Amino acid sequence: MYLNMAIVFHYLMIGLPLGACVSSLSEEAPKLHSFAFPKEVELGGRVQVLCNLNKGTLPVIFAWKKDGQSISVGERFQVGSLNDISSLLLIRNITPMDIGNYTCLATNRIGTDTYTAKLLTSAPPFWKEQPKDTEAVLGQSASLQCGVGGYPRPKITWKKAYGSQSKDFLIIHNEYKKTILENGTLVIDSLKEADEGVYTCEAANGVGDSIQTTVRLSVHAPPTVTSVKRRTSAKRGETAVIECEITGEQPLLVSWEKDGTKLTMPFTRFETYEEASGKGVKATLLISNVQRRDQGNYLCNVQNDYGSVKDVTALTVQEPPESPSDVKVISVNSRSAQVMWGAPSGISTSIKQYVMMFWKKSKVSGKLHQVSLLSSETSTLLRDLQPGNEYTVQILAENDVGRGDPSDPVTFETKEEEPEAPPVDVEVEALDSHTLQISWKPPPTDTWNGQLKGYHVGYKVEGSTSQLAYETVIKTNLREEKTLLRNLRPSTRYSVAVNAFNSAGDGPSSEELVTSTLNGDPPQSPEVKVKNVSQTSVTIMWSPRVESDASVEQYVLEYVDTDQNKNEFHAPGTRKEYCIEGLESGQRYSIRVAAYNMFGRGDFSPSLVVITEGNARVPGYEPIVHETPFYFRLYFVIPVVASITVILCVIVVAWACLKRAHYIEGRKAQLYVSYQQRLTYVPPSEISRDSRAVDAAYDIPWDVPNGGGSMGRDRSSYVKLKQGQNCV
């Protein structure tokens, strides 16, 4: 309301009739209907589109634009009008250049409205902006234009010529420092000399023939100082020589400054000359009869059409050397390292030599190495280093006065190489019909050539032509490494080898060891139950997991008391229960059973926890005895002890004779021993691991004849089994 009153007031102020004011309030800005070009438009054909006014105050003026530019009406483009609310655009003989956005504009005295539609037609590629030869500067970036039109949108392919004839081309992909933009422009960053050459831009979209053009990229080199002594010295009265080697595109203009003041030649005691050197120039400044006032910073200033560069050499006179500056290690390899440094700063006499000191980091004090270097050297290559080790290097300068202080220490680490030696003490043991256990020790430390990451255990069936299959074992800090090869074939001979590896790769493999898996597997753990519990005994019973498993030849029973004291008994395979005697009342015991067969001992059963009847023993408590019983008195003890000694001697002699008779008889029988929780059968004539039987007594010692061999390291005690009096 207030706005309308303001407009009326405005019209009255400028002297217009109030009727004109009321008319302007009812006028509207134009509003266009939407329109669109036909979807199927052919090249060489014609198309027309009608732009209609939806609403707005007349009169309305229509205009047309293509891609934001006014359309020039001519033979191919015509603009007409059916009435005062529409405008017709007609395009004849359509070409690829006609593809684009067409905008209809409607304007009256109130405002303007526009609507844009896109004209598309299948058109072969055509040049919008044809590539052209380009020049760029080394180290900077270059852009090669390739403006292409067409529909569908053409695919841009860039190629670079290689070879002396520039007839062969390689396709360029988006990669580090080379990028193909959406508009087809090829951008190359950080130009190098190798980037110079002939490039081809090719465009294709499947409609008509592809188009391509070839351009040349020229890379110009700005001046670069490739060699200059950062520090130099001279004795008073001698001639100082300052050199500056420069590369770059000719012509190169060289000038000299001292402490910011340009040296204009001829200059007292100063002389300059230049000589061609490869792709550049070697500029030299000579200062004869050097005086103390000549010390300072000398600037080598070089220019060409593509840039300029400056480099400074400090001249020192008659001063002992300070520490070399800017010591750094570059280009570190596994057995060598390049060390660079700058000459000492300050006033000094001429340096006779540099002394480089380096040593290897070690748990013990490392050996110090010293290398004498020429005074003109600012870099050297350290050789005969050990791979994968940390070194520290220092440099000091020496002149006629003596040696200066060493530089700050610089630490570097050589790259790793593959280990030089295989693992040692490799052993292979068959655990069952499907599993081999491999154990080994790391190779000698000085052959690691870095930090060991782990090991590759290779294996295959003996005689097989296939490659070794490998399993990776991560290194531990144990002195001996172990792993299991599972899912193998029963009773099959396997070749096994082990090699160590680090970040650089694999070391040599150990010699292949051949071991056979067993014919069968140790039995499963039996099912164990408690049959009876008393104050001093526990009776347990067990049964195999598989009822038909008649191959169980022996059982081992293990129980642990509250104080973690472990006891072990063996029982024949025919036994299914056993009574443990001599236990304490009211105490807690953990019991478990495992079965043996001809292939070894199986897993223990889950532990059974049993508490004997009665009150538990109280530690430290002993009953008070007021009088020693008669059976503790000497007149009773001495005769009893003597009698027992005689009886034991008779029993031992009888047992030895009996065992000898058993052994002679047992030359055709079977013998069992315990080896690392596994039984090993020793037949009468030779040691074998493939068949076993049971000795009823289980008390034949391991060191009887024919009882040696690699299995004799573990001599478990075997005891006779008998039914105790305290068991129910």
Side-chain angles (χ1 to χ4, degrees), residues 165-182:
Q165 302 299 323
S166 297
K167 294 182 178 179
D168 298 319
F169 288 80
L170 289 176
I171 296 177
I172 299 174
H173 301 282
N174 282 326
E175 57 183 8
Y176 173 70
K177 85 166 193 165
K178 290 183 180 179
T179 306
I180 300 176
L181 303 180
E182 288 291 329

Side-chain angles (χ1 to χ4, degrees), residues 331-362:
S331 185
V332 179
N333 296 313
S334 58
R335 298 180 183 271
S336 63
Q338 187 80 18
V339 183
M340 298 182 63
W341 65 92
S345 60
I347 303 174
S348 67
T349 59
S350 60
I351 297 174
K352 293 172 55 179
Q353 66 174 6
Y354 291 102
V355 177
M356 177 170 293
M357 303 174 292
F358 66 97
W359 60 94
K360 181 177 69 173
K361 183 179 180 181
S362 176

Side-chain angles (χ1 to χ4, degrees), residues 557-670:
L557 182 149
E558 177 186 283
Y559 72 92
V560 180
D561 60 18
T562 307
D563 298 328
Q564 300 302 311
N565 297 316
K566 183 185 294 185
N567 294 276
E568 186 178 277
F569 300 101
H570 290 259
T574 57
R575 291 291 294 269
K576 295 298 183 289
E577 67 176 60
Y578 184 67
C579 175
I580 306 173
E581 300 179 86
L583 306 180
E584 296 187 24
S585 62
Q587 296 298 312
R588 180 183 182 275
Y589 292 89
S590 178
I591 306 170
R592 61 179 186 169
V593 180
Y596 285 86
N597 64 8
M598 61 188 300
F599 302 109
R601 194 206 74 192
D603 295 333
F604 273 100
S605 64
S607 296
L608 292 176
V609 178
V610 181
I611 300 177
T612 55
E613 297 179 351
N615 296 325
R617 169 177 56 86
V618 179
Y621 171 77
E622 296 294 339
I624 299 175
V625 180
H626 297 283
E627 183 178 359
T628 305
F630 76 94
Y631 45 82
F632 284 155
R633 298 175 184 174
L634 292 178
Y635 67 81
F636 179 85
V637 172
I638 292 176
V640 172
V641 171
S643 300
I644 293 175
T645 302
V646 173
I647 294 172
L648 289 176
C649 291
V650 173
I651 292 175
V652 170
V653 173
W655 176 83
C657 294
L658 178 63
K659 292 309 299 175
R660 178 173 177 81
H662 281 179
Y663 177 73
I664 294 173
E665 270 183 49
R667 295 290 291 181
K668 298 180 180 180
Q670 298 162 329

Side-chain angles (χ1 to χ4, degrees), residues 243-246 254 273-277 280-284:
E243 295 178 341
C244 181
E245 293 186 10
I246 314 108
V254 182
Y273 66 90
E274 300 168 14
E275 60 179 343
S277 175
V281 170
K282 181 178 181 180
T284 303

Side-chain angles (χ1 to χ4, degrees), residues 531 539-542 571 574-579 723 728:
K531 182 177 182 181
T539 302
I540 64 171
M541 55 189 300
W542 61 83
T574 57
R575 291 291 294 269
K576 295 298 183 289
E577 67 176 60
Y578 184 67
C579 175
Q723 185 68 32
V728 179

Side-chain angles (χ1 to χ4, degrees), residues 554 596 671-675 678-682 692 700-703 707 711-712 714 716 718:
Q554 186 175 186
Y596 285 86
L671 178 65
Y672 277 83
V673 297
S674 174
Y675 167 62
R678 176 168 297 145
L679 291 179
T680 303
Y681 165 58
V682 184
R692 305 177 185 177
I700 298 177
W702 171 245
D703 54 353
M711 301 300 181
D714 183 10
S716 300
Y718 290 77

